Amino acid sequence: MSFGAPLLLRSLNPLAVAAGEDIPDAVTIDGVTLSRSDLLGAATSVAERVARAERVAVLARPTVTTVLAVIGCLIAGVTVVPVPPDSGTAELEHILGDSGAQAWLGEAPAQTHLPVVPVRVHARSWHTYSEPEPAATAFVLYTSGTTGPPKGVVLSRGAIAAGLDAVADAWSWTADDVLVHGLPLFHVHGLILGMLGPLRVGSPVIHTGKPTPQAYAEARGTLYFGVPTVWSRIAEDPDAAKQLASARLLVSGSAPLPVPVFERLRELTGHAPVERYGMSETMITLSTRADGERRPGWVGVPVAGVRTRIRDEAGAAVAHDGESIGGLQVHGPMVFDGYLDRPEATAECWTEDGWFKTGDVAAIAADGFHRIVGRESVDLIKSGGYRIGAGEVETALLGHPDVAEVAVVGLPDADLGQRIVAYVVLGSAATDSIEKALIEHVAEQLSVHKRPREVRVVSALPRNAMGKVQKKLLG
Ligand code: MLC
Ligand code: AMP
């Protein structure tokens, strides 16, 4: 495995295609299968259409169009801004405005003001492009912070190449694997690991549309990716789970995998899942290894090229005794370049000596294993593996004419890890269906996956003497 090698063109390997080493089932998605040479020909044709742009938006539904759009941009050296397909009006406007995307590539939402460049699935081109510099930006991925609208995470080609090579090494991922997952194509997990990973490694990938237990059971892969909600649903479906016994590796990440789910999966499938830890900003930095111990409740050791450390609030080193906790800081070649056009937010998350402050609290054992204890802020919620800022949901709800005050929290949930709950003080008399109307309002403004599961109307929010809402008292 060579680290920092050029991304994708080499991984799609035109030479191997020309030499007849095609992969007939390189990508299966939305019921369509493309060979590696189909993919390369069609994506190169996309590259020709888009090559003069700098940055384009891709409405990231799980379709061949999305895959070709992304690969076409990587071939041409154009930056991709993946857009959640369920984005509401405010979120869409924010992502387009903030990113400066010049056009939609492929599908576009209704009533867009941007030009639309079509993706033609059956077009082919064999033009060759030179590999852009590793420092060139591949993606701007939008991700939530504790307050304000989502920020654009700038990821370079070099970071992605290093991040993919590091997980391939940790998971012994080779061209003999068949990857299966059904995760969204606008985040690190589903898009970068789950779509670019197999293209770089040379293993076929089957995208199941939705990550349901039945779809995973039917796909018959060797390597499976899921967020803990997916694994917990599989663990509750023994018939589906048992079909995964013939796989090589089950990988969980994006949120903590509950120990009972780990144990139940091991019982039903015969596989102790590999758990790994990452962020949009860092890709994957910690993982248990295919050839190493899998310890329930622990996310393993640094992947190749990564160093980690834990620090207390004063910035002092914390003992690696498996019990003492501190803020987790990471260093490695897969870390992002900063938040787009936000120098202050970018500066805040780096230490003076160049380590990225993850915002997660962790313990490190003497043998180097890491345990993620939680987030430093209650205002960053993880629900079904999605990262949602309490602040953005609160701002959306305050935009509703009936809402006077609001506090959004993530409450523990057996299926989703956390579920979004909004405590609302109304500014007008309550109507019968106000809760439903407020949930819909968030879906229309932000996105379907940022909707509160519950709205609780209260007469007042708990506040301290300074007037600050005491979120820990809600729940
Ligand atoms: C949901 N529903 C609601 C609702 N919320 N209805 C009314 N009110 C609400 N508040 C609806 C849904 O639309 C859906 O309807 C049905 O209820 C079931 O919803 P659900 O329980 O959310 O299930 P589902 O839609 O299947 O979603 C679960 C999931 C999804 C696990 C598939 O959360 C998911 O794809 N998560 C992956 C997130 C991810 O990839 N994160 C990676 C980030 S990168 P209907 O009609 O549609 O059935 C990262 C780095 C790293 O973190 O380390 O990887
Ligand atoms: P995102 O930017 O959506 O990728 O979310 C990143 C956050 O997900 C991290 O900061 C963690 O809080 C959380 N996370 C990812 N993987 C794990 C894991 N294996 N265990 C616990 N938390 C995780």
Side-chain angles (χ1 to χ4, degrees), residues 286-288 293-295 298-302 308 319-323 363-371:
L286 294 164
S287 184
T288 54
E293 185 196 349
R294 329 257 168 96
R295 196 179 297 171
W298 295 73
V299 295
V301 296
T308 60
H320 290 193
D321 57 13
E323 291 297 332
I364 305 179
D367 63 2
F369 260 60
H370 290 58
R371 182 162 58 90

mmCIF file with all atom_site columns, all heavy atoms in Angstrom, residues 286-288 293-295 298-302 308 319-323 363-371:
data_model
loop_
_atom_site.group_PDB
_atom_site.id
_atom_site.type_symbol
_atom_site.label_atom_id
_atom_site.label_alt_id
_atom_site.label_comp_id
_atom_site.label_asym_id
_atom_site.label_entity_id
_atom_site.label_seq_id
_atom_site.pdbx_PDB_ins_code
_atom_site.Cartn_x
_atom_site.Cartn_y
_atom_site.Cartn_z
_atom_site.occupancy
_atom_site.B_iso_or_equiv
_atom_site.pdbx_formal_charge
_atom_site.auth_seq_id
_atom_site.auth_comp_id
_atom_site.auth_asym_id
_atom_site.auth_atom_id
_atom_site.pdbx_PDB_model_num
ATOM 1   N N   . LEU A 1 286 ? -9.204  6.150  13.900 1.00 0.00 ? 286 LEU A N   1
ATOM 2   C CA  . LEU A 1 286 ? -9.025  5.036  14.835 1.00 0.00 ? 286 LEU A CA  1
ATOM 3   C C   . LEU A 1 286 ? -9.847  3.847  14.373 1.00 0.00 ? 286 LEU A C   1
ATOM 4   O O   . LEU A 1 286 ? -10.979 4.030  13.898 1.00 0.00 ? 286 LEU A O   1
ATOM 5   C CB  . LEU A 1 286 ? -9.536  5.442  16.226 1.00 0.00 ? 286 LEU A CB  1
ATOM 6   C CG  . LEU A 1 286 ? -8.777  6.555  16.936 1.00 0.00 ? 286 LEU A CG  1
ATOM 7   C CD1 . LEU A 1 286 ? -9.619  7.111  18.087 1.00 0.00 ? 286 LEU A CD1 1
ATOM 8   C CD2 . LEU A 1 286 ? -7.439  6.031  17.460 1.00 0.00 ? 286 LEU A CD2 1
ATOM 9   N N   . SER A 1 287 ? -9.302  2.651  14.539 1.00 0.00 ? 287 SER A N   1
ATOM 10  C CA  . SER A 1 287 ? -10.094 1.471  14.177 1.00 0.00 ? 287 SER A CA  1
ATOM 11  C C   . SER A 1 287 ? -9.512  0.243  14.859 1.00 0.00 ? 287 SER A C   1
ATOM 12  O O   . SER A 1 287 ? -8.296  0.162  15.081 1.00 0.00 ? 287 SER A O   1
ATOM 13  C CB  . SER A 1 287 ? -10.066 1.263  12.657 1.00 0.00 ? 287 SER A CB  1
ATOM 14  O OG  . SER A 1 287 ? -10.902 0.175  12.301 1.00 0.00 ? 287 SER A OG  1
ATOM 15  N N   . THR A 1 288 ? -10.395 -0.721 15.166 1.00 0.00 ? 288 THR A N   1
ATOM 16  C CA  . THR A 1 288 ? -9.858  -2.041 15.461 1.00 0.00 ? 288 THR A CA  1
ATOM 17  C C   . THR A 1 288 ? -9.471  -2.637 14.108 1.00 0.00 ? 288 THR A C   1
ATOM 18  O O   . THR A 1 288 ? -9.896  -2.150 13.056 1.00 0.00 ? 288 THR A O   1
ATOM 19  C CB  . THR A 1 288 ? -10.875 -2.933 16.214 1.00 0.00 ? 288 THR A CB  1
ATOM 20  O OG1 . THR A 1 288 ? -12.093 -2.978 15.488 1.00 0.00 ? 288 THR A OG1 1
ATOM 21  C CG2 . THR A 1 288 ? -11.136 -2.391 17.596 1.00 0.00 ? 288 THR A CG2 1
ATOM 22  N N   . GLU A 1 293 ? -7.326  -7.463 17.799 1.00 0.00 ? 293 GLU A N   1
ATOM 23  C CA  . GLU A 1 293 ? -8.403  -7.653 18.774 1.00 0.00 ? 293 GLU A CA  1
ATOM 24  C C   . GLU A 1 293 ? -9.586  -6.729 18.478 1.00 0.00 ? 293 GLU A C   1
ATOM 25  O O   . GLU A 1 293 ? -9.384  -5.587 18.070 1.00 0.00 ? 293 GLU A O   1
ATOM 26  C CB  . GLU A 1 293 ? -7.850  -7.343 20.181 1.00 0.00 ? 293 GLU A CB  1
ATOM 27  C CG  . GLU A 1 293 ? -8.845  -7.633 21.287 1.00 0.00 ? 293 GLU A CG  1
ATOM 28  C CD  . GLU A 1 293 ? -8.481  -6.980 22.626 1.00 0.00 ? 293 GLU A CD  1
ATOM 29  O OE1 . GLU A 1 293 ? -7.347  -6.465 22.756 1.00 0.00 ? 293 GLU A OE1 1
ATOM 30  O OE2 . GLU A 1 293 ? -9.336  -6.971 23.521 1.00 0.00 ? 293 GLU A OE2 1
ATOM 31  N N   . ARG A 1 294 ? -10.794 -7.201 18.669 1.00 0.00 ? 294 ARG A N   1
ATOM 32  C CA  . ARG A 1 294 ? -12.001 -6.348 18.585 1.00 0.00 ? 294 ARG A CA  1
ATOM 33  C C   . ARG A 1 294 ? -12.574 -6.299 20.002 1.00 0.00 ? 294 ARG A C   1
ATOM 34  O O   . ARG A 1 294 ? -13.070 -7.308 20.491 1.00 0.00 ? 294 ARG A O   1
ATOM 35  C CB  . ARG A 1 294 ? -13.050 -6.956 17.653 1.00 0.00 ? 294 ARG A CB  1
ATOM 36  C CG  . ARG A 1 294 ? -12.479 -7.770 16.499 1.00 0.00 ? 294 ARG A CG  1
ATOM 37  C CD  . ARG A 1 294 ? -12.489 -7.085 15.181 1.00 0.00 ? 294 ARG A CD  1
ATOM 38  N NE  . ARG A 1 294 ? -11.666 -7.831 14.226 1.00 0.00 ? 294 ARG A NE  1
ATOM 39  C CZ  . ARG A 1 294 ? -12.144 -8.716 13.352 1.00 0.00 ? 294 ARG A CZ  1
ATOM 40  N NH1 . ARG A 1 294 ? -13.435 -8.946 13.296 1.00 0.00 ? 294 ARG A NH1 1
ATOM 41  N NH2 . ARG A 1 294 ? -11.326 -9.337 12.526 1.00 0.00 ? 294 ARG A NH2 1
ATOM 42  N N   . ARG A 1 295 ? -12.507 -5.144 20.608 1.00 0.00 ? 295 ARG A N   1
ATOM 43  C CA  . ARG A 1 295 ? -12.903 -5.047 22.015 1.00 0.00 ? 295 ARG A CA  1
ATOM 44  C C   . ARG A 1 295 ? -14.201 -4.264 22.103 1.00 0.00 ? 295 ARG A C   1
ATOM 45  O O   . ARG A 1 295 ? -14.226 -3.081 21.736 1.00 0.00 ? 295 ARG A O   1
ATOM 46  C CB  . ARG A 1 295 ? -11.784 -4.317 22.775 1.00 0.00 ? 295 ARG A CB  1
ATOM 47  C CG  . ARG A 1 295 ? -11.842 -4.459 24.266 1.00 0.00 ? 295 ARG A CG  1
ATOM 48  C CD  . ARG A 1 295 ? -10.675 -3.709 24.918 1.00 0.00 ? 295 ARG A CD  1
ATOM 49  N NE  . ARG A 1 295 ? -9.360  -4.232 24.545 1.00 0.00 ? 295 ARG A NE  1
ATOM 50  C CZ  . ARG A 1 295 ? -8.207  -3.622 24.854 1.00 0.00 ? 295 ARG A CZ  1
ATOM 51  N NH1 . ARG A 1 295 ? -8.207  -2.501 25.544 1.00 0.00 ? 295 ARG A NH1 1
ATOM 52  N NH2 . ARG A 1 295 ? -7.056  -4.140 24.474 1.00 0.00 ? 295 ARG A NH2 1
ATOM 53  N N   . TRP A 1 298 ? -14.813 -0.263 22.472 1.00 0.00 ? 298 TRP A N   1
ATOM 54  C CA  . TRP A 1 298 ? -13.559 0.445  22.173 1.00 0.00 ? 298 TRP A CA  1
ATOM 55  C C   . TRP A 1 298 ? -13.410 0.577  20.656 1.00 0.00 ? 298 TRP A C   1
ATOM 56  O O   . TRP A 1 298 ? -13.805 -0.321 19.917 1.00 0.00 ? 298 TRP A O   1
ATOM 57  C CB  . TRP A 1 298 ? -12.362 -0.326 22.739 1.00 0.00 ? 298 TRP A CB  1
ATOM 58  C CG  . TRP A 1 298 ? -12.362 -0.404 24.232 1.00 0.00 ? 298 TRP A CG  1
ATOM 59  C CD1 . TRP A 1 298 ? -13.179 -1.172 25.005 1.00 0.00 ? 298 TRP A CD1 1
ATOM 60  C CD2 . TRP A 1 298 ? -11.533 0.338  25.134 1.00 0.00 ? 298 TRP A CD2 1
ATOM 61  N NE1 . TRP A 1 298 ? -12.900 -0.970 26.338 1.00 0.00 ? 298 TRP A NE1 1
ATOM 62  C CE2 . TRP A 1 298 ? -11.889 -0.050 26.449 1.00 0.00 ? 298 TRP A CE2 1
ATOM 63  C CE3 . TRP A 1 298 ? -10.513 1.282  24.963 1.00 0.00 ? 298 TRP A CE3 1
ATOM 64  C CZ2 . TRP A 1 298 ? -11.264 0.489  27.580 1.00 0.00 ? 298 TRP A CZ2 1
ATOM 65  C CZ3 . TRP A 1 298 ? -9.895  1.810  26.100 1.00 0.00 ? 298 TRP A CZ3 1
ATOM 66  C CH2 . TRP A 1 298 ? -10.274 1.414  27.391 1.00 0.00 ? 298 TRP A CH2 1
ATOM 67  N N   . VAL A 1 299 ? -12.805 1.694  20.216 1.00 0.00 ? 299 VAL A N   1
ATOM 68  C CA  . VAL A 1 299 ? -12.691 1.931  18.769 1.00 0.00 ? 299 VAL A CA  1
ATOM 69  C C   . VAL A 1 299 ? -11.286 1.642  18.233 1.00 0.00 ? 299 VAL A C   1
ATOM 70  O O   . VAL A 1 299 ? -10.990 1.972  17.088 1.00 0.00 ? 299 VAL A O   1
ATOM 71  C CB  . VAL A 1 299 ? -13.111 3.372  18.389 1.00 0.00 ? 299 VAL A CB  1
ATOM 72  C CG1 . VAL A 1 299 ? -14.584 3.592  18.679 1.00 0.00 ? 299 VAL A CG1 1
ATOM 73  C CG2 . VAL A 1 299 ? -12.253 4.410  19.122 1.00 0.00 ? 299 VAL A CG2 1
ATOM 74  N N   . GLY A 1 300 ? -10.453 1.018  19.045 1.00 0.00 ? 300 GLY A N   1
ATOM 75  C CA  . GLY A 1 300 ? -9.175  0.520  18.532 1.00 0.00 ? 300 GLY A CA  1
ATOM 76  C C   . GLY A 1 300 ? -8.035  1.513  18.586 1.00 0.00 ? 300 GLY A C   1
ATOM 77  O O   . GLY A 1 300 ? -7.976  2.375  19.469 1.00 0.00 ? 300 GLY A O   1
ATOM 78  N N   . VAL A 1 301 ? -7.167  1.380  17.619 1.00 0.00 ? 301 VAL A N   1
ATOM 79  C CA  . VAL A 1 301 ? -5.865  2.065  17.637 1.00 0.00 ? 301 VAL A CA  1
ATOM 80  C C   . VAL A 1 301 ? -5.756  3.000  16.425 1.00 0.00 ? 301 VAL A C   1
ATOM 81  O O   . VAL A 1 301 ? -6.507  2.853  15.458 1.00 0.00 ? 301 VAL A O   1
ATOM 82  C CB  . VAL A 1 301 ? -4.723  1.026  17.618 1.00 0.00 ? 301 VAL A CB  1
ATOM 83  C CG1 . VAL A 1 301 ? -4.743  0.182  18.889 1.00 0.00 ? 301 VAL A CG1 1
ATOM 84  C CG2 . VAL A 1 301 ? -4.807  0.128  16.391 1.00 0.00 ? 301 VAL A CG2 1
ATOM 85  N N   . PRO A 1 302 ? -4.813  3.948  16.448 1.00 0.00 ? 302 PRO A N   1
ATOM 86  C CA  . PRO A 1 302 ? -4.667  4.845  15.298 1.00 0.00 ? 302 PRO A CA  1
ATOM 87  C C   . PRO A 1 302 ? -4.382  4.069  14.010 1.00 0.00 ? 302 PRO A C   1
ATOM 88  O O   . PRO A 1 302 ? -3.605  3.110  14.021 1.00 0.00 ? 302 PRO A O   1
ATOM 89  C CB  . PRO A 1 302 ? -3.465  5.717  15.689 1.00 0.00 ? 302 PRO A CB  1
ATOM 90  C CG  . PRO A 1 302 ? -3.450  5.693  17.185 1.00 0.00 ? 302 PRO A CG  1
ATOM 91  C CD  . PRO A 1 302 ? -3.921  4.311  17.566 1.00 0.00 ? 302 PRO A CD  1
ATOM 92  N N   . THR A 1 308 ? -2.417  10.254 18.037 1.00 0.00 ? 308 THR A N   1
ATOM 93  C CA  . THR A 1 308 ? -3.493  10.818 18.853 1.00 0.00 ? 308 THR A CA  1
ATOM 94  C C   . THR A 1 308 ? -2.938  11.216 20.210 1.00 0.00 ? 308 THR A C   1
ATOM 95  O O   . THR A 1 308 ? -1.872  10.734 20.623 1.00 0.00 ? 308 THR A O   1
ATOM 96  C CB  . THR A 1 308 ? -4.605  9.770  19.119 1.00 0.00 ? 308 THR A CB  1
ATOM 97  O OG1 . THR A 1 308 ? -4.012  8.659  19.813 1.00 0.00 ? 308 THR A OG1 1
ATOM 98  C CG2 . THR A 1 308 ? -5.260  9.302  17.845 1.00 0.00 ? 308 THR A CG2 1
ATOM 99  N N   . ALA A 1 319 ? -3.230  10.814 31.478 1.00 0.00 ? 319 ALA A N   1
ATOM 100 C CA  . ALA A 1 319 ? -2.623  9.472  31.537 1.00 0.00 ? 319 ALA A CA  1
ATOM 101 C C   . ALA A 1 319 ? -3.336  8.489  30.604 1.00 0.00 ? 319 ALA A C   1
ATOM 102 O O   . ALA A 1 319 ? -4.560  8.541  30.452 1.00 0.00 ? 319 ALA A O   1
ATOM 103 C CB  . ALA A 1 319 ? -2.696  8.952  32.967 1.00 0.00 ? 319 ALA A CB  1
ATOM 104 N N   . HIS A 1 320 ? -2.562  7.595  30.009 1.00 0.00 ? 320 HIS A N   1
ATOM 105 C CA  . HIS A 1 320 ? -3.127  6.540  29.166 1.00 0.00 ? 320 HIS A CA  1
ATOM 106 C C   . HIS A 1 320 ? -3.360  5.304  30.040 1.00 0.00 ? 320 HIS A C   1
ATOM 107 O O   . HIS A 1 320 ? -2.643  4.313  29.964 1.00 0.00 ? 320 HIS A O   1
ATOM 108 C CB  . HIS A 1 320 ? -2.171  6.207  28.011 1.00 0.00 ? 320 HIS A CB  1
ATOM 109 C CG  . HIS A 1 320 ? -2.072  7.301  27.000 1.00 0.00 ? 320 HIS A CG  1
ATOM 110 N ND1 . HIS A 1 320 ? -1.493  7.133  25.771 1.00 0.00 ? 320 HIS A ND1 1
ATOM 111 C CD2 . HIS A 1 320 ? -2.504  8.592  27.025 1.00 0.00 ? 320 HIS A CD2 1
ATOM 112 C CE1 . HIS A 1 320 ? -1.554  8.265  25.086 1.00 0.00 ? 320 HIS A CE1 1
ATOM 113 N NE2 . HIS A 1 320 ? -2.160  9.179  25.840 1.00 0.00 ? 320 HIS A NE2 1
ATOM 114 N N   . ASP A 1 321 ? -4.395  5.391  30.887 1.00 0.00 ? 321 ASP A N   1
ATOM 115 C CA  . ASP A 1 321 ? -4.666  4.283  31.806 1.00 0.00 ? 321 ASP A CA  1
ATOM 116 C C   . ASP A 1 321 ? -6.021  3.635  31.534 1.00 0.00 ? 321 ASP A C   1
ATOM 117 O O   . ASP A 1 321 ? -6.491  2.802  32.297 1.00 0.00 ? 321 ASP A O   1
ATOM 118 C CB  . ASP A 1 321 ? -4.600  4.793  33.265 1.00 0.00 ? 321 ASP A CB  1
ATOM 119 C CG  . ASP A 1 321 ? -5.574  5.956  33.493 1.00 0.00 ? 321 ASP A CG  1
ATOM 120 O OD1 . ASP A 1 321 ? -6.448  6.198  32.623 1.00 0.00 ? 321 ASP A OD1 1
ATOM 121 O OD2 . ASP A 1 321 ? -5.481  6.631  34.533 1.00 0.00 ? 321 ASP A OD2 1
ATOM 122 N N   . GLY A 1 322 ? -6.672  4.067  30.442 1.00 0.00 ? 322 GLY A N   1
ATOM 123 C CA  . GLY A 1 322 ? -7.955  3.471  30.069 1.00 0.00 ? 322 GLY A CA  1
ATOM 124 C C   . GLY A 1 322 ? -9.136  4.048  30.832 1.00 0.00 ? 322 GLY A C   1
ATOM 125 O O   . GLY A 1 322 ? -10.289 3.773  30.504 1.00 0.00 ? 322 GLY A O   1
ATOM 126 N N   . GLU A 1 323 ? -8.857  4.843  31.874 1.00 0.00 ? 323 GLU A N   1
ATOM 127 C CA  . GLU A 1 323 ? -9.923  5.392  32.724 1.00 0.00 ? 323 GLU A CA  1
ATOM 128 C C   . GLU A 1 323 ? -9.968  6.917  32.646 1.00 0.00 ? 323 GLU A C   1
ATOM 129 O O   . GLU A 1 323 ? -11.031 7.512  32.551 1.00 0.00 ? 323 GLU A O   1
ATOM 130 C CB  . GLU A 1 323 ? -9.688  4.995  34.197 1.00 0.00 ? 323 GLU A CB  1
ATOM 131 C CG  . GLU A 1 323 ? -9.889  3.518  34.482 1.00 0.00 ? 323 GLU A CG  1
ATOM 132 C CD  . GLU A 1 323 ? -11.313 3.068  34.237 1.00 0.00 ? 323 GLU A CD  1
ATOM 133 O OE1 . GLU A 1 323 ? -12.225 3.905  34.373 1.00 0.00 ? 323 GLU A OE1 1
ATOM 134 O OE2 . GLU A 1 323 ? -11.509 1.895  33.870 1.00 0.00 ? 323 GLU A OE2 1
ATOM 135 N N   . ALA A 1 363 ? -10.795 8.068  26.334 1.00 0.00 ? 363 ALA A N   1
ATOM 136 C CA  . ALA A 1 363 ? -9.778  7.485  27.222 1.00 0.00 ? 363 ALA A CA  1
ATOM 137 C C   . ALA A 1 363 ? -8.879  6.614  26.350 1.00 0.00 ? 363 ALA A C   1
ATOM 138 O O   . ALA A 1 363 ? -9.346  6.045  25.356 1.00 0.00 ? 363 ALA A O   1
ATOM 139 C CB  . ALA A 1 363 ? -10.446 6.652  28.307 1.00 0.00 ? 363 ALA A CB  1
ATOM 140 N N   . ILE A 1 364 ? -7.607  6.544  26.711 1.00 0.00 ? 364 ILE A N   1
ATOM 141 C CA  . ILE A 1 364 ? -6.668  5.693  25.978 1.00 0.00 ? 364 ILE A CA  1
ATOM 142 C C   . ILE A 1 364 ? -6.061  4.696  26.970 1.00 0.00 ? 364 ILE A C   1
ATOM 143 O O   . ILE A 1 364 ? -5.583  5.097  28.036 1.00 0.00 ? 364 ILE A O   1
ATOM 144 C CB  . ILE A 1 364 ? -5.540  6.519  25.303 1.00 0.00 ? 364 ILE A CB  1
ATOM 145 C CG1 . ILE A 1 364 ? -6.139  7.613  24.396 1.00 0.00 ? 364 ILE A CG1 1
ATOM 146 C CG2 . ILE A 1 364 ? -4.615  5.605  24.500 1.00 0.00 ? 364 ILE A CG2 1
ATOM 147 C CD1 . ILE A 1 364 ? -5.095  8.497  23.698 1.00 0.00 ? 364 ILE A CD1 1
ATOM 148 N N   . ALA A 1 365 ? -6.122  3.420  26.634 1.00 0.00 ? 365 ALA A N   1
ATOM 149 C CA  . ALA A 1 365 ? -5.566  2.391  27.530 1.00 0.00 ? 365 ALA A CA  1
ATOM 150 C C   . ALA A 1 365 ? -4.060  2.277  27.317 1.00 0.00 ? 365 ALA A C   1
ATOM 151 O O   . ALA A 1 365 ? -3.528  2.728  26.295 1.00 0.00 ? 365 ALA A O   1
ATOM 152 C CB  . ALA A 1 365 ? -6.250  1.053  27.255 1.00 0.00 ? 365 ALA A CB  1
ATOM 153 N N   . ALA A 1 366 ? -3.411  1.626  28.246 1.00 0.00 ? 366 ALA A N   1
ATOM 154 C CA  . ALA A 1 366 ? -1.948  1.488  28.169 1.00 0.00 ? 366 ALA A CA  1
ATOM 155 C C   . ALA A 1 366 ? -1.539  0.754  26.899 1.00 0.00 ? 366 ALA A C   1
ATOM 156 O O   . ALA A 1 366 ? -0.461  0.989  26.352 1.00 0.00 ? 366 ALA A O   1
ATOM 157 C CB  . ALA A 1 366 ? -1.452  0.753  29.407 1.00 0.00 ? 366 ALA A CB  1
ATOM 158 N N   . ASP A 1 367 ? -2.408  -0.132 26.386 1.00 0.00 ? 367 ASP A N   1
ATOM 159 C CA  . ASP A 1 367 ? -2.060  -0.876 25.164 1.00 0.00 ? 367 ASP A CA  1
ATOM 160 C C   . ASP A 1 367 ? -2.421  -0.110 23.888 1.00 0.00 ? 367 ASP A C   1
ATOM 161 O O   . ASP A 1 367 ? -2.345  -0.662 22.791 1.00 0.00 ? 367 ASP A O   1
ATOM 162 C CB  . ASP A 1 367 ? -2.731  -2.254 25.166 1.00 0.00 ? 367 ASP A CB  1
ATOM 163 C CG  . ASP A 1 367 ? -4.254  -2.173 25.162 1.00 0.00 ? 367 ASP A CG  1
ATOM 164 O OD1 . ASP A 1 367 ? -4.803  -1.038 25.122 1.00 0.00 ? 367 ASP A OD1 1
ATOM 165 O OD2 . ASP A 1 367 ? -4.906  -3.232 25.189 1.00 0.00 ? 367 ASP A OD2 1
ATOM 166 N N   . GLY A 1 368 ? -2.838  1.157  24.029 1.00 0.00 ? 368 GLY A N   1
ATOM 167 C CA  . GLY A 1 368 ? -3.085  1.985  22.848 1.00 0.00 ? 368 GLY A CA  1
ATOM 168 C C   . GLY A 1 368 ? -4.534  1.959  22.357 1.00 0.00 ? 368 GLY A C   1
ATOM 169 O O   . GLY A 1 368 ? -4.890  2.700  21.446 1.00 0.00 ? 368 GLY A O   1
ATOM 170 N N   . PHE A 1 369 ? -5.389  1.123  22.972 1.00 0.00 ? 369 PHE A N   1
ATOM 171 C CA  . PHE A 1 369 ? -6.801  1.122  22.565 1.00 0.00 ? 369 PHE A CA  1
ATOM 172 C C   . PHE A 1 369 ? -7.500  2.394  23.045 1.00 0.00 ? 369 PHE A C   1
ATOM 173 O O   . PHE A 1 369 ? -7.205  2.900  24.129 1.00 0.00 ? 369 PHE A O   1
ATOM 174 C CB  . PHE A 1 369 ? -7.519  -0.117 23.134 1.00 0.00 ? 369 PHE A CB  1
ATOM 175 C CG  . PHE A 1 369 ? -7.671  -1.212 22.127 1.00 0.00 ? 369 PHE A CG  1
ATOM 176 C CD1 . PHE A 1 369 ? -6.552  -1.783 21.526 1.00 0.00 ? 369 PHE A CD1 1
ATOM 177 C CD2 . PHE A 1 369 ? -8.933  -1.674 21.755 1.00 0.00 ? 369 PHE A CD2 1
ATOM 178 C CE1 . PHE A 1 369 ? -6.689  -2.793 20.576 1.00 0.00 ? 369 PHE A CE1 1
ATOM 179 C CE2 . PHE A 1 369 ? -9.082  -2.674 20.815 1.00 0.00 ? 369 PHE A CE2 1
ATOM 180 C CZ  . PHE A 1 369 ? -7.968  -3.239 20.224 1.00 0.00 ? 369 PHE A CZ  1
ATOM 181 N N   . HIS A 1 370 ? -8.439  2.887  22.214 1.00 0.00 ? 370 HIS A N   1
ATOM 182 C CA  . HIS A 1 370 ? -9.164  4.121  22.522 1.00 0.00 ? 370 HIS A CA  1
ATOM 183 C C   . HIS A 1 370 ? -10.639 3.824  22.796 1.00 0.00 ? 370 HIS A C   1
ATOM 184 O O   . HIS A 1 370 ? -11.242 2.988  22.112 1.00 0.00 ? 370 HIS A O   1
ATOM 185 C CB  . HIS A 1 370 ? -9.098  5.092  21.343 1.00 0.00 ? 370 HIS A CB  1
ATOM 186 C CG  . HIS A 1 370 ? -7.742  5.680  21.097 1.00 0.00 ? 370 HIS A CG  1
ATOM 187 N ND1 . HIS A 1 370 ? -6.631  4.908  20.844 1.00 0.00 ? 370 HIS A ND1 1
ATOM 188 C CD2 . HIS A 1 370 ? -7.326  6.981  21.064 1.00 0.00 ? 370 HIS A CD2 1
ATOM 189 C CE1 . HIS A 1 370 ? -5.587  5.700  20.656 1.00 0.00 ? 370 HIS A CE1 1
ATOM 190 N NE2 . HIS A 1 370 ? -5.976  6.963  20.777 1.00 0.00 ? 370 HIS A NE2 1
ATOM 191 N N   . ARG A 1 371 ? -11.188 4.568  23.745 1.00 0.00 ? 371 ARG A N   1
ATOM 192 C CA  . ARG A 1 371 ? -12.620 4.476  24.047 1.00 0.00 ? 371 ARG A CA  1
ATOM 193 C C   . ARG A 1 371 ? -13.188 5.891  23.917 1.00 0.00 ? 371 ARG A C   1
ATOM 194 O O   . ARG A 1 371 ? -12.632 6.832  24.507 1.00 0.00 ? 371 ARG A O   1
ATOM 195 C CB  . ARG A 1 371 ? -12.785 3.962  25.485 1.00 0.00 ? 371 ARG A CB  1
ATOM 196 C CG  . ARG A 1 371 ? -14.196 3.764  25.961 1.00 0.00 ? 371 ARG A CG  1
ATOM 197 C CD  . ARG A 1 371 ? -14.178 2.843  27.205 1.00 0.00 ? 371 ARG A CD  1
ATOM 198 N NE  . ARG A 1 371 ? -13.349 3.390  28.281 1.00 0.00 ? 371 ARG A NE  1
ATOM 199 C CZ  . ARG A 1 371 ? -13.808 4.205  29.238 1.00 0.00 ? 371 ARG A CZ  1
ATOM 200 N NH1 . ARG A 1 371 ? -15.070 4.571  29.264 1.00 0.00 ? 371 ARG A NH1 1
ATOM 201 N NH2 . ARG A 1 371 ? -12.994 4.647  30.191 1.00 0.00 ? 371 ARG A NH2 1
#
